[in-house]
Amino acid sequence: MPTPTDEQTEAADAFRAGHHLVLQAGAGTGKTSTLIQLAADTTRRGRYLAFNKSIAHDASLRFPRTVLCKTAHATAYAALGHRYTHRLNSPRRPAWKTGQALGITRAIRIGDHDVSHRTLSHTVLRTVTRYCHSADLTLDRRHVPHLRGLGTPAEQAQLAAEVLPFAVKAWADLQNPERGAVRFEHDHYLKMWALTEPKINADFLFLDEAQDTNPVLEQVFAAQRDHAQLVMVGDSAQAIYGWRGARDVMTGFDATHLTLTRSFRFGPRLAEQANRWLQLADAPIRLTGTDTIPTEVGTLARPDAVLCRTNIGAMTEVLRLLADGHRVALARGGNTLTALALAAQDLKEGRRTNHPELVLFASWGELQDYATYDPAGGDLQPFVDLVDTHGPDAILAAVDELTDEQHADVTVSTAHKAKGREWAAVKIADDFPPPKDTDQHDAHGRPIPEPVSETDARLAYVAITRARQHLDLGGLSWIDSHPNVV
């Protein structure tokens, strides 16, 4: 082990004293090596709960044998999920067929919208998923997702009234370990396990990536407080998965709060850039870089990775780079882009689509009007422009041209999918828009922009801190002239 920093030594002392801990660990600050140091300094037996399977496997090779490294799902599977193995291996089926088996056989009318039985079926399954991510004991109307196009509370309430009975029926169907109409997923047995109020047998528990924890896992973890020492580690400024149910559980957790702020990934110049976004995100830490790493910030001609804000931005970058003759990889493949292109193809040919974001639109023209004129549809305008410019076929052809990362000249990724990764040279794509101007003006008559939202600041922080040696701010360069940034 390298010589611990003062912050790592303080964490080790607090752990040795038996305190529950929250470790705010900035990008590249050695959180895993710190946890290994804590575990190696005791003979007690512990558990490490990892964010995903690959992280758990890597940790199992590095932690002492006294620490069992698993994902939360693997822990739940060993306790309860194994009873549902037969159903986990069941073949995929269209959601409308599942809905049909649950009794969804007709469309309904809500306001000016016809909601098809297919859309109802999708919504029922999404309702069950949202319940599984929550800490709630019972499934109720709050778990029914909003549908684009249902603009009033009354319309949403009508949807919830229609969906909830079928969602309750779907959850009951999932309790049968042998057979059922609903395809059994890993989140289902995790929720079932959580509802048993399980006791995890360990002297201490490490929860990694705690800022992205779903409430269901937070509930299980916190319930171990009376018999196990709890250690949360993560970075509140990297809490970027709120849209899928995760929330930052670190800030308000009852424990000793410590920090890891020296980044071993990049040098001082990039740390300065990171701190601007940490300020805007109202984060509890600021970073220092490693002096011996000469990270540059400036224009890049040949980046190793281009990071985008949205899937639409990633699609645009892929098309541009392929047109320039580059071999391009897309992080985690092109399934998301394919789904969007096929949805556009359906709408342009006059068919409804099953894409969950676009199910209420009857035609491409209706989607164009929504994106152009409805304030709630502005985020779809880049998608509409892209399809109108290139067409769905060109997008599908581009996906077919993608190569794997090992043989690519450049990898394109969204910032969300880049989380936890790093590259030598990173460029930020152009789809990170600056805040809109307000009606107010400064002393020189220039419009004063709106404040940067904490959500946007956190995503920007994640994106720029993926670089080790060179960062091109690209679409985030507007930060240099924003009046709220030091």
Side-chain angles (χ1 to χ4, degrees), residues 126 148 340 354-361 367 379-380:
R126 288 173 64 200
R148 275 189 188 272
L340 283 167
N354 289 327
H355 195 287
E357 282 288 287
L358 309 174
V359 289
L360 291 185
F361 299 100
L367 177 59
D379 62 319
L380 287 176

Side-chain angles (χ1 to χ4, degrees), residues 65-224:
R65 292 183 180 180
T66 51
V67 178
L68 182 62
C69 302
K70 285 187 174 184
T71 63
H73 284 90
T75 305
Y77 182 85
L80 184 148
H82 64 277
R83 303 175 195 170
Y84 295 85
T85 301
H86 177 70
R87 288 191 65 174
L88 276 167
N89 295 329
S90 62
R92 293 184 179 274
R93 65 189 307 197
W96 68 266
K97 285 191 174 182
T98 301
Q100 194 174 60
L102 293 170
I104 303 173
T105 57
R106 60 177 180 82
I108 61 171
R109 184 79 174 174
I110 298 181
D112 296 329
H113 298 283
D114 288 318
V115 182
S116 71
H117 70 284
R118 291 173 181 259
T119 299
L120 281 175
S121 300
H122 278 286
T123 306
V124 165
L125 297 180
R126 288 173 64 200
T127 298
V128 172
T129 297
R130 285 163 59 92
Y131 167 61
C132 288
H133 290 165
S134 77
D136 301 324
L137 296 178
T138 56
L139 199 162
D140 59 36
R141 292 187 175 196
R142 84 189 88 170
H143 304 117
V144 179
H146 289 258
L147 289 183
R148 275 189 188 272
L150 297 186
T152 69
E155 289 176 339
Q156 184 61 31
Q158 185 182 345
L159 175 71
E162 294 281 353
V163 165
L164 188 59
F166 291 111
V168 171
K169 190 174 181 180
W171 183 243
D173 173 279
L174 289 165
Q175 307 307 306
N176 188 331
E178 298 301 325
R179 64 183 65 85
V182 183
R183 188 169 193 268
F184 199 93
E185 304 285 354
H186 294 278
D187 282 346
H188 295 148
Y189 66 72
L190 180 66
K191 179 64 174 180
M192 293 175 188
W193 175 66
L195 289 172
T196 68
E197 299 182 355
K199 177 180 179 180
I200 300 175
N201 292 318
D203 299 316
F204 61 88
L205 288 176
F206 293 159
L207 178 62
D208 199 0
E209 299 289 349
Q211 78 282 347
D212 288 325
T213 299
N214 283 331
V216 63
L217 179 56
E218 175 200 359
Q219 179 189 52
V220 172
F221 181 79
Q224 313 305 312

